[in-house]
Amino acid sequence: MATMTLVQAIHDALALEMERDPRVVLLGEDIGRNGGVFRATEGLWERFGPERVIDTPLAEAGIVGMAIGMSLNGLRPVAEIQFADFIFPAFEQIVSELAKFRYRSAGQFIAPVVIRTPSGGGIKGGHYHSQSPEAYFIHTAGLKVAMPSTPADAKGLLAAAMRDPDPVIFFEPKALYRTAKGEVPEGDFTVPLGKARTVRAGEDVSLITYGATVHVAEEAAALAQEEGIGVDLLDLRTLWPLDIEAVVRSVERTGRAVVLHEAPRTCGFGAELVALIQEKAFLHLKAPVARVTGFDTPFPYALEKLYIPDARRVLDAIRAAVSF
Amino acid sequence: MELPLLVALRDDGSVDPDLDPKFDAETLRLLFRKMVFLRALDEKALHLQRSGRIGFYIGAAGQEAAESGSGFALQPGDWLFPSYRDQGVALLHGYPLSALVAQLFGNSADATKGRQMPNHWCDRSARVVSVSSPVATQLPQSVGAAYAAKLRGEKNAFIAYFGDGGSSTGEFHVAMNFAGVFSTPNVFFCSNNQYAISVPVSKQTASGSIAAKAAAYGIQGVRVDGNDVLAVYRVTRDALERARAGCGSTLVEAITYRMGAHSTSDDPARYRSGEEVEAWRRKDPIARFAGHLRRLGLLDEAAEEAAAVEAREEIRRAVAACESAPPVPPESLVEDVYAEMPWHLSEQREWIRKTAGS
């Protein structure tokens, strides 16, 4: 075990996979000599050369389009989109092409591309350096979507994504890049896609979240515990395909659920979670399933702290569920 | 900026010696038969659509020289990123007619399980990359595939097709720019057939020619008479050879004309005159090449007729072989979304089993 920040764990996974598999190439803006604006690829350009750590022209549709072509012809590309807010020029390549190659060719052409992109707020980045666009991609059949909350999961999930036969959109909560520190297994290490993690066990209410808000949830769960409320906290880790068994198992036990994310409320992933919970655990429910989310506004600059769910808001939802 | 229009088959019947590929008699006859075959395929497919046996078709009548001349220049290891109008190139690159026809029917004979509308070709073993409807998205993909080959030191070329409308997209710009920067072995073949559905090329660009845009990306640009099969072959062959030799990418603009509708859902009488169509009909690439072969004494009326009859018969047999295949099974709806079927699709498959009855 080594103690790493989340961004160091990402770097560790990239370096190990590049070492292990010569088909792996990285491409994106400023990822070469500069090592990425968050330094996730620091030193890799020097170590693996500019042919495998590729500084591209500034065009996200080109980065993803090129990555797709690379994957069709046998490489394992990892594309970095510098901020998730800038992924939209590549939306057509992701939605119309990347997600559909396997299906439209009936398995003849596959595009195992990983798209890494920092998402979420908390760095005073305003509209265009803070968004959480995961729902668009979960909505698109053919994509897998993951988002780690700890350094160990960041390493293990990214390595698993890079070995997966399907395209994976890998969101990295940028607020955690340097604030999340933890023990990370050294060397070869994967965390399987599609498996949630129980962060803490409790009997009174299920709290289901992913990414940066896992840490908000932990804080809220600790406060709830002081009031005698046991929180069963689930970190989804892979958003899609969802670990539905873990979700249902938890809610069947507690009978109450709060879903939490930073992304906007309307048609956010929380809406899908609520729908699934009521479909699959309706007779176990003792209270309406609550959502704690960002607001249905563009991501703000000055009012960032108000926008991002905090422990107090989560605690309020927990109390409401328990006292319903 | 104007680039010269390269022409091999001159009006006086002679061939420009600098562009003449110097095919032997048998190759010239074969090339002619390939062009005749495409015209026959078009006619048959339109008939199938009009009689309700297939749902849709995108024809390429008038573009046989651009399709056959360029397709003839491909080598087996090359990769083809076609658009939905490039059945001619796909067939020349090894896409079997039987597979193409089955794709039109979209039944259980279709190797792609009826997943897409007609004209959305795909054949992994022939390196014909799966076609989508969004225009020009294949261009940056062809750059990535070429990059992979270059990284491994392979000497294949990567040709991607698109139309004059496609040259207006962001993806066109991105692909040309990336190909220039990474010096990849790409050929971008623009079939400038004068119209993107109803909008004429004069409304797509004010730059004089599409090929001229290559200069801005640091790649080669060539403008060729797209109804001249020998010239198209020659410039495409040269561009592919440059790519394989590691000399970078080329943008080829073939000036041609879509004699028919954009698709079976389009009525071209709404946006262009009969006189214009007639003027281009007089430049029909098949008639033009036939005239050349007749002057060389390589073709007579009987041989010309025989080529058309043979083509129709081959297509008829291909249609007969797959038209009555059963429909795709309902459960295949949820296959191939992922490598392994996740729980939610397994649930949806169960619903299909219970309610859609297979």
Side-chain angles (χ1 to χ4, degrees):
Chain A
M1 288 283 184
T3 302
M4 290 186 192
T5 62
L6 193 141
V7 74
Q8 286 168 339
I10 296 285
H11 179 278
D12 194 35
L14 293 172
L16 284 166
E17 288 301 302
M18 289 196 81
E19 194 66 60
R20 194 183 68 82
D21 185 349
R23 299 172 302 165
V24 173
V25 294
L26 314 183
L27 68 164
E29 296 156 7
D30 306 297
I31 70 163
R33 187 188 294 273
N34 194 41
V37 296
F38 290 102
R39 306 288 176 262
T41 57
E42 186 148 43
L44 299 180
W45 184 79
E46 291 83 351
R47 187 166 156 198
F48 296 103
E51 290 80 22
R52 290 183 67 200
V53 183
I54 307 159
D55 270 327
T56 67
L58 200 164
E60 288 78 10
I63 295 168
V64 175
M66 187 166 174
I68 292 169
M70 290 169 152
S71 71
L72 297 176
N73 195 7
L75 295 183
R76 297 294 315 230
V78 181
E80 177 177 307
I81 299 297
Q82 200 163 78
F83 285 83
D85 311 76
F86 306 146
I87 205 166
F88 302 106
F91 201 60
E92 177 170 63
Q93 286 289 344
I94 296 171
V95 172
S96 299
E97 303 290 328
L98 180 64
K100 293 177 174 55
F101 254 103
R102 181 187 295 279
Y103 192 73
R104 77 191 202 206
S105 69
Q108 293 185 49
F109 287 95
I110 61 168
V113 172
V114 176
I115 299 176
R116 293 179 41 241
T117 189
S119 70
I123 62 154
K124 295 292 274 181
H127 295 334
Y128 304 114
H129 296 79
S130 307
Q131 294 171 81
S132 297
E134 62 270 15
Y136 299 117
F137 303 98
I138 299 167
H139 190 62
T140 300
L143 300 176
K144 294 180 177 175
V145 180
M147 195 185 304
S149 71
T150 68
D153 283 350
K155 175 177 176 176
L157 287 170
L158 181 56
M162 291 170 72
R163 299 178 196 183
D164 201 80
D166 293 308
V168 181
I169 314 294
F170 194 84
F171 289 101
E172 299 170 2
K174 69 176 85 69
L176 302 183
Y177 267 151
R178 288 180 175 76
T179 58
K181 289 195 184 76
E183 294 287 298
V184 176
E186 288 175 74
D188 193 65
F189 171 64
T190 58
V191 170
L193 296 175
K195 293 287 174 211
R197 174 177 70 100
T198 299
V199 181
R200 62 185 286 162
E203 299 305 316
D204 300 315
V205 58
S206 300
L207 178 55
I208 300 159
T209 189
Y210 53 89
T213 44
V214 169
H215 300 275
V216 176
E218 284 189 87
E219 198 185 330
L223 293 171
Q225 193 62 61
E226 288 172 15
E227 300 176 11
I229 302 169
V231 172
D232 202 50
L233 174 53
L234 210 55
D235 174 2
L236 295 175
R237 303 199 288 192
T238 301
L239 280 54
W240 206 259
L242 174 71
D243 187 349
I244 187 69
E245 285 177 24
V247 171
V248 170
R249 203 164 48 232
S250 173
V251 176
E252 281 180 350
R253 209 174 62 244
T254 62
R256 297 178 172 88
V258 174
V259 301
L260 164 65
H261 59 60
E262 192 178 311
R265 187 176 189 83
T266 301
C267 285
F269 187 45
E272 182 63 33
L273 290 170
V274 173
L276 285 167
I277 289 168
Q278 70 85 18
E279 280 173 7
K280 293 181 181 294
F282 185 74
L283 294 177
H284 296 270
L285 288 176
K286 299 169 194 157
V289 183
R291 282 184 286 175
V292 181
T293 68
F295 290 84
D296 286 331
T297 65
F299 195 98
Y301 177 68
L303 296 176
E304 176 177 66
K305 284 207 164 100
L306 174 63
Y307 183 94
I308 298 172
D310 61 11
R312 180 56 54 183
R313 275 169 66 193
V314 179
L315 183 62
D316 284 350
I318 290 170
R319 286 177 180 150
V322 171
S323 62
F324 180 79
Chain B
M1 185 175 131
E2 278 292 317
L3 285 170
L5 182 72
L6 300 180
V7 181
L9 284 171
R10 294 165 172 154
D11 290 341
D12 66 2
S14 64
V15 179
D16 182 338
D18 291 338
L19 287 174
D20 187 355
K22 300 188 175 63
F23 286 134
D24 61 24
E26 208 33 60
T27 308
L28 288 168
R29 287 196 193 97
L30 175 64
L31 192 49
F32 177 75
R33 287 199 300 275
K34 296 293 184 191
M35 293 170 74
V36 169
F37 187 90
L38 290 187
R39 184 68 57 89
L41 177 63
D42 237 51
E43 287 166 0
K44 179 68 175 183
L46 291 175
H47 172 74
L48 290 172
Q49 197 276 337
R50 292 290 177 236
S51 54
R53 290 154 73 187
I54 64 172
F56 178 76
Y57 191 70
I58 298 175
Q63 299 177 215
E64 290 86 354
E67 292 282 293
S68 301
S70 61
F72 218 66
L74 292 176
Q75 291 183 358
D78 296 336
W79 281 57
L80 169 62
F81 289 75
S83 81
Y84 42 63
R85 208 182 298 281
D86 298 309
Q87 47 271 25
V89 188
L91 286 168
L92 282 168
H93 201 44
Y95 185 35
L97 178 69
S98 56
L100 183 151
V101 171
Q103 201 278 332
L104 298 179
F105 285 100
N107 58 27
S108 59
D110 174 15
T112 52
K113 302 187 186 177
R115 293 270 165 71
Q116 293 215 78
M117 293 170 83
N119 288 73
H120 291 63
W121 323 116
C122 170
D123 189 335
R124 184 67 182 80
S125 60
R127 298 188 168 185
V128 175
V129 176
S130 166
V131 172
S132 68
S133 305
V135 165
T137 47
Q138 70 275 23
L139 302 184
Q141 294 166 13
S142 75
V143 178
Y147 188 100
K150 186 180 170 183
L151 187 68
R152 292 191 295 256
E154 297 163 359
K155 300 287 179 203
N156 300 316
F158 294 74
I159 191 166
Y161 285 73
F162 61 107
D164 37 309
S167 75
S168 297
T169 63
E171 246 86 347
F172 168 86
H173 161 69
V174 153
M176 302 302 126
N177 192 43
F178 275 52
V181 167
F182 294 116
S183 191
T184 45
N186 287 99
V187 177
F188 304 105
F189 191 100
C190 178
S191 301
N192 177 354
N193 66 11
Q194 311 303 318
Y195 287 92
I197 305 188
S198 70
V199 178
V201 67
S202 61
K203 293 274 175 25
Q204 297 294 342
T205 181
S207 79
S209 82
I210 291 164
K213 299 180 185 210
Y217 300 110
I219 65 174
Q220 289 282 312
V222 188
R223 201 161 155 259
V224 65
D225 182 342
N227 283 14
D228 174 346
V229 69
L230 296 182
V232 171
Y233 169 82
R234 181 57 197 273
V235 303
T236 311
R237 190 197 69 186
D238 291 354
L240 291 165
E241 281 178 359
R242 284 189 66 243
R244 292 187 205 105
C247 300
S249 295
T250 306
L251 169 59
V252 177
E253 178 186 9
I255 312 296
T256 182
Y257 193 75
R258 191 190 77 214
M259 296 199 321
H262 163 70
S263 74
T264 49
S265 304
D266 174 42
D267 172 13
R270 292 171 62 86
Y271 53 81
R272 63 189 190 186
S273 70
E275 293 77 37
E276 179 188 303
V277 177
E278 194 45 47
W280 276 94
R281 208 171 281 285
R282 286 195 290 275
K283 301 187 222 172
D284 184 321
I286 297 179
R288 185 169 166 191
F289 192 46
H292 174 64
L293 296 187
R294 273 197 223 99
R295 275 189 293 274
L296 293 176
L298 298 176
L299 190 71
D300 57 21
E301 211 166 296
E304 207 170 327
E305 180 55 24
V309 169
E310 274 170 36
R312 285 196 289 268
E313 178 55 22
E314 190 181 343
I315 296 161
R316 190 198 62 75
R317 280 200 304 269
V319 169
C322 72
E323 185 173 11
S324 56
V328 290
E331 285 176 33
S332 70
L333 175 70
V334 293
E335 294 167 0
D336 307 314
V337 182
Y338 298 93
E340 285 177 37
M341 193 176 291
W343 64 270
H344 66 296
L345 290 172
S346 298
E347 284 186 0
Q348 290 167 33
R349 182 175 60 184
E350 277 312 299
W351 184 88
I352 291 167
R353 280 180 179 159
K354 283 184 192 139
T355 61
S358 50

